[in-house]
């Protein structure tokens, strides 16, 4: 559905995208993961023909991103991180407009209901989360062949995020393809089949999410009850100690969380915190070379 070959995009001295290639298959939810400034939006803006690449080729459904950009727009639903709306128009006016402009709105009613969109409010009076919600409905309601989503969940609260993930799964079941960028590893892990990891304009990896999950890292902070001796965390598996006090231990753990919890069950624990390691930590661990 998407084919990117040797894409370079320079802004003067800044090599925003520096020679990336990958393909997205029809029917998959494909994540484009990387920290802020990695080159995700630049790649997406080239795909949408909002900006032109320095070199390289991009195709969508076999169509050239530049030459066939109008035809591509008919097949694609796009959401930017900052949704642009007509301030004086209500949600309904936006929905009516896009329904007439595009290939209809076969999914409109269901999405408006699912997301509880208040259609009568003018865009200028919507919160950023509600603007993003409206942007997502506008992109999805015509059931396009492909959804290109650039950090679509930044303004959504967790409840709305879940509704959105469910809608993406429904869309996929009906044959749709999703290309979604994010700096949020857990989001990508949760919804995507495959992922391309970009860092400083270069691809670090393209992998199945199942494989990525095996490399999963967590930050673990453990406080023991009473005067029990601190465990030696290296016995838990692949561990890097971050700090060790008399009753508190913080370490980075790479491996199955289930194994770790089983090993910790032997101890009298006063408090335990297990968080996803930041994407930066994952990068540092796996791509430092
Ligand atoms: P991401 O979407 O991964 O956060 P971007 O693609 O927005 O990253 O940016 C990649 C790099 O390109 C950053 O260093 C950013 O500052 C730079 N950049 C993006 N757009 C422009 C532009 N129009 N002019 C100059 N530099 C830009």
């Amino acid at each position: 559905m998407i084919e990117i070959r040797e894409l370079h995009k320079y802004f003067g001295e800044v090599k925003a995208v520096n020679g990336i290639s990958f393909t997205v298959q029809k029917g998959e939810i494909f994540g484009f993961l990387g920290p802020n400034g990695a080159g995700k939006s630049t790649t997406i803006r080239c795909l949408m023909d909002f900006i032109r690449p320095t070199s390289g080729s991009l195709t969508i459904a076999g169509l050239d991103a530049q030459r066939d950009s109008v035809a591509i727009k008919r097949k694609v639903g796009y959401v930017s991180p900052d949704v642009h709306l007509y301030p004086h128009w209500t949600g309904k006016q936006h929905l009516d407009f896009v329904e007439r402009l595009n290939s209809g709105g076969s999914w409109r009613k269901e999405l408006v209901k699912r997301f509880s969109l208040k259609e009568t409010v003018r865009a200028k009076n919507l919160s950023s989360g509600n603007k993003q919600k409206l942007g997502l409905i506008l992109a999805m309601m015509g059931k396009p062949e492909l959804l290109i989503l650039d950090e679509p969940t930044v303004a959504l609260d967790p409840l709305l995020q879940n509704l959105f993930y469910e809608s993406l799964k429904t869309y996929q079941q009906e044959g749709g393809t999703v290309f979604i960028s994010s700096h949020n590893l857990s989001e990508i892990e949760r919804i995507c089949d495959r992922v391309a990891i970009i860092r400083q304009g270069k691809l670090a990896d393209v992998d199945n999410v199942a494989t990525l999950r095996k490399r999963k890292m967590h930050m673990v902070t453990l406080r023991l009850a009473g005067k029990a001796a601190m465990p030696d965390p290296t016995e838990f598996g692949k561990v890097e100690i971050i700090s060790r006090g008399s009753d508190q231990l913080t370490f980075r753990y790479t491996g199955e969380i289930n194994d770790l919890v089983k090993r910790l069950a032997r101890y009298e624990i006063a408090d335990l915190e297990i968080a996803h390691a930041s994407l930066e930590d994952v990068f540092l661990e796996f791509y430092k070379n």
Side-chain angles (χ1 to χ4, degrees), residues 3-289:
E3 192 163 6
I4 297 178
R5 288 273 160 260
E6 276 302 308
L7 177 66
H8 293 79
K9 177 65 189 178
Y10 301 161
F11 297 104
E13 299 279 286
V14 180
K15 295 182 173 173
V17 175
N18 197 10
I20 65 170
S21 305
F22 60 88
T23 55
V24 177
Q25 305 301 320
K26 189 169 167 49
E28 69 180 344
I29 300 184
F30 189 97
F32 195 34
L33 183 68
N36 289 331
K40 303 182 296 297
S41 286
T42 303
T43 305
I44 288 178
R45 286 161 67 213
C46 288
L47 264 177
M48 296 300 295
D49 197 35
F50 299 152
I51 54 173
R52 291 273 157 101
T54 306
S55 64
S57 76
L58 307 110
T59 61
I60 291 179
L63 300 169
D64 184 86
Q66 293 167 32
R67 202 183 50 234
D68 308 314
S69 114
V70 175
I72 285 175
K73 300 289 185 301
R74 296 201 183 94
K75 295 175 179 285
V76 174
Y78 164 75
V79 179
S80 66
D82 48 341
V83 173
H84 296 277
L85 300 164
Y86 295 102
H88 296 286
W89 282 16
T90 63
K92 183 175 182 310
Q93 284 172 305
H94 282 90
L95 293 163
D96 289 343
F97 177 63
V98 170
E99 185 170 331
R100 283 197 303 273
L101 193 70
N102 275 345
S103 48
S106 58
W107 211 10
R108 169 177 171 172
K109 255 195 184 146
E110 193 185 324
L111 286 173
V112 166
K113 198 167 156 220
R114 197 183 274 198
F115 284 97
S116 310
L117 179 78
K118 292 199 182 72
E119 289 184 68
T120 51
V121 181
R122 287 184 201 279
K124 64 176 180 173
N125 296 327
L126 291 174
S127 67
S128 55
N130 280 320
K131 277 186 189 144
Q132 200 158 24
K133 182 160 94 172
L134 178 56
L136 287 167
I137 296 173
L138 293 170
M140 294 170 86
M141 69 183 209
K143 282 203 183 143
E145 276 179 52
L146 171 67
L147 278 174
I148 296 183
L149 309 170
D150 192 358
E151 303 260 5
T153 58
V154 280
L156 299 183
D157 63 38
L159 205 69
L160 276 176
Q161 283 180 11
N162 281 337
L163 281 172
F164 167 63
Y165 299 150
E166 281 166 24
S167 303
L168 283 188
K169 289 283 179 196
T170 311
Y171 168 76
Q172 182 187 31
Q173 279 155 15
E174 299 202 3
T177 307
V178 182
F179 181 63
I180 176 172
S181 84
S182 175
H183 62 269
N184 183 338
L185 179 63
S186 55
E187 170 171 276
I188 292 290
E189 281 180 320
R190 192 167 154 190
I191 58 172
C192 294
D193 306 307
R194 283 198 309 141
V195 58
I197 299 175
I198 183 170
R199 191 187 186 204
Q200 293 174 356
K202 285 182 181 285
L203 274 198
D205 209 351
V206 181
D207 228 331
N208 289 318
V209 167
T211 315
L212 189 74
R213 202 170 276 137
K214 287 202 188 108
R215 303 166 164 186
K216 208 146 122 169
M217 291 200 323
H218 288 88
M219 202 63 90
V220 182
T221 298
L222 175 70
R223 216 155 46 74
L224 291 188
K227 297 257 174 272
M230 267 294 170
D232 171 10
T234 54
E235 72 181 68
F236 300 148
K238 193 162 179 244
V239 158
E240 190 182 329
I241 295 170
I242 305 295
S243 71
R244 190 205 294 260
S246 57
D247 65 343
Q248 185 163 315
L249 179 67
T250 300
F251 58 92
R252 198 155 43 216
Y253 170 79
T254 308
E256 289 301 322
I257 207 70
N258 195 34
D259 295 343
L260 176 71
V261 171
K262 278 184 187 153
R263 284 172 186 270
L264 288 175
R266 294 189 270 131
Y267 297 90
E268 281 296 317
I269 292 174
D271 201 5
L272 175 66
E273 193 184 307
I274 302 179
H276 279 281
S278 71
L279 191 62
E280 207 54 32
D281 284 333
V282 177
F283 279 138
L284 286 175
E285 179 65 18
F286 295 106
Y287 305 112
K288 56 189 161 195
N289 298 321

